Amino acid sequence: SNDGTDQGGVTVDNAGVVAASAYFDGTNHISLQANNASLPLYSQTGRHMASAWVKTPSRAEWEVIYAEGVSSGSCRSYFEFSLYYDELAHIWRDETNDNSAVSLSTVSVGDNQWHHIVGIHSGDLDSFYVDGGFATVQTNSGDRGTINALTRFAIGALDRTGCFNTVQNIIGYIDEVRL
């Protein structure tokens, strides 16, 4: 169990699916200590799974559910599990070399209702499940790297200020994140 360290005033309330959940207002995030050896690392060739309960309104932009990565100077390489125009997305980005690989689901979850979402990366396949049912699978042979040493891990936001001067924050509830 890795309980996060609240940063930016995340609201924790009893509106969750399982006891309390975290509410993100678009400016806050939770981060976990990057040096915790029990956190799983994204691997290009290995299997990687993320799941969470989310409740978000419809939005027309990137919203990060969870992200992990490593800093290299002012740029970063990272993996993220996000919402993109209300659909689930697996994303690998290498901002130093300007490489990325993106897979999108075909099921919208931006309806302000609770949804259990799962994303699985295995080799060149990204699979998505919503509320216990299969949503879609995408073949993605884009250039994906491997994170060998985790220096950043966040739930609810991704700070991309090193290269692109943006922060991608979610608005809504996140509960029971599992990796």
Side-chain angles (χ1 to χ4, degrees):
S1 165
N2 290 296
D3 291 333
T5 302
D6 296 350
Q7 293 184 353
V10 173
T11 304
V12 178
D13 62 28
N14 291 322
V17 174
V18 181
S21 66
Y23 176 75
F24 300 84
D25 67 3
T27 60
N28 304 321
H29 64 279
I30 293 176
S31 67
L32 295 175
Q33 294 179 359
N35 61 356
N36 190 330
S38 68
L39 292 174
L41 296 175
Y42 170 80
S43 169
Q44 176 182 13
T45 56
R47 187 175 171 114
H48 187 83
M49 193 245 353
S51 70
W53 285 92
V54 296
K55 179 180 176 182
T56 64
S58 180
R59 303 268 318 269
E61 57 190 76
W62 290 101
E63 294 187 284
V64 173
I65 298 165
Y66 113 89
E68 65 179 62
V70 60
S71 292
S72 175
S74 63
C75 293
R76 297 163 179 86
S77 297
Y78 54 88
F79 171 81
E80 66 181 82
F81 185 45
S82 299
L83 297 177
Y84 178 65
Y85 290 89
D86 302 330
E87 295 181 353
L88 299 177
H90 279 142
I91 303 152
W92 165 260
R93 296 186 188 186
D94 179 350
E95 294 177 343
T96 304
N97 299 311
D98 199 24
N99 294 329
S100 65
V102 179
S103 293
L104 298 173
S105 73
T106 57
V107 176
S108 176
V109 295
D111 59 2
N112 215 28
Q113 300 294 314
W114 280 108
H115 294 283
H116 185 251
I117 58 173
V118 178
I120 300 172
H121 168 76
S122 183
D124 287 344
L125 298 177
D126 288 325
S127 303
F128 300 94
Y129 297 82
V130 176
D131 296 330
F134 175 74
T136 190
V137 64
Q138 295 280 320
T139 301
N140 192 326
S141 58
D143 183 17
R144 294 185 183 218
T146 298
I147 297 171
N148 296 315
L150 188 63
T151 61
R152 293 180 180 269
F153 184 98
I155 296 173
L158 174 64
D159 182 353
R160 299 177 68 204
T161 55
C163 288
F164 297 102
N165 295 320
T166 62
V167 179
Q168 296 167 276
N169 296 298
I170 194 167
I171 294 178
Y173 293 91
I174 299 177
D175 197 8
E176 303 302 311
V177 175
R178 300 281 186 252
L179 304 175

